Amino acid sequence: MADTDLRTHALGTLVTAMVTPFTDAGEVDYNQAAELANKLVDDGCDGLVVTGTTGETSTLTDQENVGMFRAVKEAVGDRAAIIAGTGTNDTAHSVQLSQKAAALGVDGLLLVTPYYNKPSQAGLYAHFNTVASAVDVPVMLYDIPGRSSIEIAPDTMIRLAQHPNIIAVKDAKADFVSAARVMAETDLAFYSGDDGLTLPWMALGAVGLVGVTTHVATRRFRDLIDAVNANDFDLARKINAELLPVVRATMTRVQGAVAAKQILKWQGVLPNSIVRLPLVEPDETEITIIREDLAEAGLVFP
């Protein structure tokens, strides 16, 4: 059963979907990943997703995925929940990667809706149920029809909630009516999967955010979540308004991993902004757009 205390949760409340740092030669930089993970936790994250979408999991090998799980878990220890992105569009592959992550002692798994295949709801149920049954680790479902082309329907979520390992949902669908029904009929803990919707999601009953902008403004997002949990909605609305241009800079103008790495480079957190093909670093036009949005939030970099 999911933890129903909205102020705390086994998988965290402020969860950053970490980028995967690369060396100048394009190899995974595990040392930089460990440093970034520690910084995020120091700044207020109580959970980290490792090699999710923003972690460029689709262009990592299984060895690199497992290496990232190990590096971040060893760096952070028990200071934050480590959630391994192990979902793919191949059930057997997802099981194998999930079992490898579980063997490293991760605190949870993030399982994205299978993409490209377009399974039926019966197929979705069978996929998630099979993976969750293959491990003894809490599972967070990731509902993102914009990338997967299909949703996890409310009835399917309600069925899946009966599985003892399935305890949470990262929602990037923003169907608040459907989510309210699932929340009412299950103990699933919901997380905003859209940085800019954190406040309305939490007002509805979500426990927090799995975000990307949280790389850039970690402490301010911590303040936002804490304000909601303290029922100080005047402060929460003020912080939310301050964060909107940062969300635009990181999430809506340029692909999330690309923008986040560029900003982290400007902040001196990462030594480069390298991404893997088919992603490419931002061009001059995109750089200008990101800078303009950040400047609106008072963030100016050389």
Side-chain angles (χ1 to χ4, degrees):
M1 300 286 274
D3 185 339
T4 54
D5 183 349
L6 299 187
R7 299 172 193 274
T8 61
H9 190 269
L11 298 181
T13 55
L14 177 60
V15 183
T16 292
M18 280 183 55
V19 298
T20 297
F22 296 120
T23 66
D24 290 342
E27 302 297 323
V28 175
D29 192 330
Y30 300 108
N31 291 331
Q32 283 292 331
E35 290 183 16
L36 174 60
N38 274 317
K39 180 183 186 304
L40 290 168
V41 175
D42 288 344
D43 287 348
C45 287
D46 50 6
L48 300 171
V49 167
V50 183
T51 75
T53 305
T54 306
E56 300 178 69
T57 185
S58 58
T59 53
L60 300 180
T61 66
D62 281 2
Q63 182 178 1
E64 289 172 330
N65 274 291
V66 172
M68 280 289 292
F69 304 154
R70 180 183 294 108
V72 174
K73 181 62 180 175
E74 289 179 352
V76 171
D78 295 329
R79 294 200 302 140
I82 305 304
I83 305 163
T86 57
T88 73
N89 67 338
D90 174 350
T91 304
H93 185 198
S94 301
V95 166
Q96 292 167 7
L97 193 55
S98 296
Q99 290 174 334
K100 291 177 181 178
L104 293 173
V106 300
D107 303 285
L109 305 175
L110 180 69
L111 301 182
V112 69
T113 311
Y115 39 87
Y116 189 72
N117 314 55
K118 298 186 74 172
S120 65
Q121 291 299 309
L124 287 185
Y125 175 83
H127 170 82
F128 289 126
N129 189 70
T130 297
V131 180
S133 297
V135 294
D136 189 18
V137 178
V139 167
M140 180 187 294
L141 306 177
Y142 185 9
D143 191 10
I144 182 165
R147 288 183 182 270
S148 65
S149 81
I150 55 172
E151 69 164 352
I152 309 174
D155 287 339
T156 305
M157 278 194 192
I158 291 168
R159 286 184 68 200
L160 288 166
Q162 297 173 24
H163 195 294
N165 289 341
I166 298 176
I167 68 168
V169 178
K170 176 185 177 184
D171 188 291
K173 182 170 61 180
D175 182 343
F176 293 110
V177 174
S178 292
R181 178 192 165 203
V182 176
M183 288 182 191
E185 296 185 26
T186 74
D187 285 336
L188 289 173
F190 270 70
Y191 289 78
S192 174
D194 184 328
D195 301 35
L197 294 180
T198 305
L199 177 54
W201 263 116
M202 292 195 70
L204 185 67
V207 302
L209 164 68
V210 179
V212 178
T213 313
T214 51
H215 284 94
V216 178
T218 316
R219 291 177 180 173
R220 209 55 178 145
F221 271 102
R222 179 77 268 164
D223 292 341
L224 172 62
I225 290 171
D226 289 348
V228 175
N229 283 333
N231 293 316
D232 189 344
F233 282 90
D234 287 339
L235 176 58
R237 284 189 290 269
K238 176 179 180 294
I239 297 170
N240 184 67
E242 294 172 359
L243 286 170
L244 289 177
V246 188
V247 173
R248 287 200 305 273
T250 313
M251 293 293 296
T252 64
R253 309 282 203 165
V254 180
Q255 200 272 355
V258 173
K261 283 187 171 182
Q262 181 62 57
I263 300 169
L264 288 169
K265 177 183 174 182
W266 288 336
Q267 290 180 324
V269 176
L270 292 181
N272 62 53
S273 53
I274 292 173
V275 289
R276 277 191 180 167
L277 288 171
L279 298 183
V280 295
E281 294 177 70
D283 61 26
E284 288 305 314
T285 299
E286 291 169 327
I287 289 287
T288 298
I289 291 171
I290 296 171
R291 285 188 181 277
E292 288 174 350
D293 286 333
L294 292 175
E296 186 178 334
L299 300 174
V300 179
F301 303 103

